[in-house]
């Protein structure tokens, strides 16, 4: 069973859910705040963000409708990053104490949580692999190929391209320059967030 399927939650959790409406750019929580809940996006898009020493935001994870986030709160005293609304959003707030009690008494729920966390780790490893690629052009190219499934195809990003750039550790200026280079080489065709990959090899 999926612990964060809002339509199938145990009654002990469902009865304690609250909702939060957030405007774009509003913080749900800040790094260092007491970790009191885990969240599920019902509408909009939420980003987990840390800040580099120079103030540059580093996006750790983006959660969209149906996604959970901040699951690490179950095992931590404080949040380790900021939870920010990228767009007007509504989130379900699941109290940590109720979740912990449900997990302790249901092995199936615990297994579901492990599976979800494993998927998060896999996604994180992919982002780390991309960030380790030197050169903005190659990193951008590999990101597009991955999003398109490895070959020619069309990718429509739900989030702004500025957010995509931050997720792979590039400034938006470097990302846009890389896109322009790839388009000039005839490898892609771009129309705002919709990018068509015209070739699968450089």
């Amino acid at each position: 069973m999926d612990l964060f399927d809002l339509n199938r939650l145990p009654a002990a959790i469902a009865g304690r859910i609250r909702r939060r409406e957030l405007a774009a750019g509003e913080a749900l929580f800040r790094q260092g705040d007491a970790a009191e809940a885990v969240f599920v996006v019902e509408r909009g898009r939420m980003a987990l963000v840390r800040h580099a020493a120079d103030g540059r935001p580093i996006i750790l994870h983006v959660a969209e409708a149906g996604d959970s986030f901040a699951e690490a709160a179950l095992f931590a005293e404080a949040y380790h990053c900021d939870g920010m609304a990228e767009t007007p959003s509504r989130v379900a707030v699941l109290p940590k104490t109720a979740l912990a009690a449900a997990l302790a008494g249901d092995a199936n729920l615990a297994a579901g949580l492990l599976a979800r966390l494993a998927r998060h780790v896999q996604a994180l490893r992919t982002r780390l692999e991309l960030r380790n690629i030197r050169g903005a052009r190659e990193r951008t190219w590999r990101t597009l190929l991955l999003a398109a499934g490895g070959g020619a195809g069309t990718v429509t990003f739900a989030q702004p391209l500025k957010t995509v750039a931050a997720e792979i550790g590039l400034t938006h200026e470097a990302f846009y320059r890389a896109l322009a280079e790839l388009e000039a080489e005839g490898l892609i065709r771009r129309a705002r967030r919709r990018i068509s990959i015209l070739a699968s090899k450089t």
Side-chain angles (χ1 to χ4, degrees), residues 3-103:
L3 180 62
F4 303 113
D5 181 345
L6 297 180
N7 296 316
R8 301 179 60 190
L9 284 175
I13 299 174
R16 297 187 60 187
I17 290 178
R18 296 183 293 107
R19 261 76 181 183
R20 279 283 307 275
E21 297 277 352
L22 298 112
E26 185 177 353
L28 176 63
F29 56 81
R30 293 288 187 180
Q31 183 173 346
D33 287 351
E36 298 178 344
V38 179
F39 310 92
V40 176
V41 181
E42 294 189 299
R43 183 182 68 246
R45 190 169 59 249
M46 300 292 300
L48 298 182
V49 183
R50 285 188 183 173
H51 296 274
D54 60 3
R56 177 172 50 88
I58 300 171
I59 297 179
L60 305 177
H61 177 66
V62 176
E64 300 183 341
D67 293 337
S68 61
F69 64 100
E71 296 94 339
L74 286 165
F75 313 102
E77 295 299 319
Y79 295 111
H80 297 286
C81 57
D82 296 345
M84 306 295 298
E86 286 200 334
T87 64
S89 302
R90 184 175 70 184
V91 300
V93 182
L94 284 64
K96 171 180 175 178
T97 52
L99 289 174
L103 287 167

Side-chain angles (χ1 to χ4, degrees), residues 23 97 107-108 144 175 193:
T97 52
N108 288 331
L144 295 176
F175 186 61
R193 298 181 191 177

